[in-house]
Amino acid sequence: MLSKKILFTGLALCISASAFAHFQLIHTTSSNITDKNTVPFELIFTHPGEGMEGHSMDIGKDEKGSIKPMEAFFSVHKEQKTDLKNKLVSSKFGPNGHQVQAYKFTFDKTTGLKGGGDWGFVAVPAPYYEASEEIYIQQVTKAFVNKDDISTDWDARIAEGYPEIIPLNNPTNLWVGQVFRGKVVDPEGKAVANAEIEVEYINADIQNSQFVGENKFENAAMVLRADEFGYFSFIPVHAGYWGFAALGAGGEKTHNGKELSQDAVLWIEAK
């Protein structure tokens, strides 16, 4: 069973097993892209902690069943922002008979893979309607890759105008058992006090646009809270990708007359 080793900055507020939650992924095999000239990504909306039993959703599906396009997709490298929305390719994710709307993206010289350092990718999907809760969910999602161990952008605010989790130690150079620290901020960059943060582990391998193999661990989801200054800490106990979703970090919002939970999502890789 996955042990729940969590370290808090400030007040220790709560730790609990969590129902597996919605997570937007910006996924590639490894965050270390040294010696790579082409890096494939997939954008997937799923319950990663469930792994092989995971329920995946159509990105941008509204309450009428229409799928709306991604609102934004961009990278930041050495403080330069590159719009990549028109480089996304519509795709499907999941086994035959249970496929959902997803996207693929190829990172290469034509899309900005030049030199070394960190690249932060930010995806802003259209709000998704969750019928069971009668709310919309929009997960502003951030992931990093690094080339040649050159540190550039990982600790910067790169999603200005959106809620964001800012890492306080390198999300691509993290070891199992090492404390990871982050700060939750709102669209204006102000700390979100006592933010509720869902944590999930990608619990099965992803190949050929679906989960494959067996689940790695029995429990791969939990909940924690930031302190009054928006800070939180976490110790990954297994190698692989861990996701953090700060629920409602965007503040009180509505979409199509319904409540909108605008969440800040960050992915890190423990090695």
Side-chain angles (χ1 to χ4, degrees):
M1 180 177 290
L2 178 65
S3 60
K4 303 183 181 80
K5 296 181 180 179
I6 300 179
L7 177 67
F8 288 91
T9 302
L11 296 176
L13 294 174
C14 73
I15 304 171
S16 68
S18 169
F20 293 104
H22 301 63
F23 270 82
Q24 176 66 52
L25 276 65
I26 305 174
H27 182 265
T28 192
T29 303
S30 173
S31 60
N32 181 0
I33 62 169
T34 301
D35 299 326
K36 294 183 179 180
N37 295 317
T38 301
V39 184
F41 285 85
E42 284 191 275
L43 278 64
I44 309 157
F45 194 36
T46 190
H47 291 183
E50 291 180 329
M52 293 299 296
E53 291 77 42
H55 171 64
S56 298
M57 294 75 65
D58 293 293
I59 296 175
K61 188 174 182 178
D62 67 14
E63 63 185 300
K64 296 180 180 179
S66 299
I67 295 176
K68 304 300 182 182
M70 292 287 296
E71 291 189 1
F73 182 59
F74 58 89
S75 68
V76 175
H77 175 60
K78 296 183 179 178
E79 301 183 352
Q80 297 298 311
K81 179 178 176 180
T82 302
D83 184 1
L84 298 169
K85 181 180 174 182
N86 65 351
K87 303 298 183 181
L88 291 173
V89 177
S90 180
S91 64
K92 295 294 183 181
F93 181 84
N96 290 336
H98 299 280
Q99 294 183 322
V100 296
Q101 175 67 49
Y103 294 92
K104 292 184 177 182
F105 165 70
T106 300
F107 188 43
D108 56 21
K109 288 184 178 180
T110 68
T111 51
L113 180 49
K114 300 175 184 177
D118 301 307
W119 282 265
F121 292 92
V122 178
V124 185
Y128 170 84
Y129 183 67
E130 178 49 63
S132 66
E133 301 178 54
E134 297 185 343
I135 66 169
Y136 277 93
I137 300 169
Q138 184 181 45
Q139 296 202 324
V140 180
T141 301
K142 185 167 67 171
F144 288 89
V145 295
N146 177 272
K147 187 173 184 180
D148 298 331
D149 290 323
I150 299 171
S151 180
T152 57
D153 301 88
W154 64 263
D155 57 350
R157 175 146 162 75
I158 64 171
E160 292 187 12
Y162 297 105
E164 185 174 4
I165 297 176
I166 300 175
L168 300 181
N169 49 331
N170 195 326
T172 67
N173 188 24
L174 188 74
W175 299 99
V176 171
Q178 178 184 350
V179 176
F180 172 76
R181 300 180 64 238
K183 181 180 181 180
V184 183
V185 299
D186 66 14
E188 288 72 45
K190 298 177 182 178
V192 179
N194 307 319
E196 180 180 356
I197 303 167
E198 293 182 337
V199 184
E200 286 202 19
Y201 177 77
I202 298 183
N203 204 15
D205 292 330
I206 296 174
Q207 295 178 11
N208 300 319
S209 298
Q210 60 184 302
F211 290 111
V212 297
E214 298 180 351
N215 282 5
K216 299 177 181 181
F217 305 104
E218 180 180 348
N219 293 328
M222 60 198 74
V223 175
L224 57 85
R225 282 194 182 273
D227 68 12
E228 61 183 311
F229 304 107
Y231 293 104
F232 69 93
S233 299
F234 177 82
I235 300 176
V237 293
H238 295 291
Y241 281 105
W242 294 84
F244 303 86
L247 306 184
E252 295 185 5
K253 295 181 181 295
T254 61
H255 181 75
N256 289 346
K258 306 277 189 182
E259 178 186 346
L260 171 65
S261 179
Q262 190 181 59
D263 310 335
V265 174
L266 172 68
W267 287 95
I268 67 171
E269 184 183 18
K271 301 171 184 177

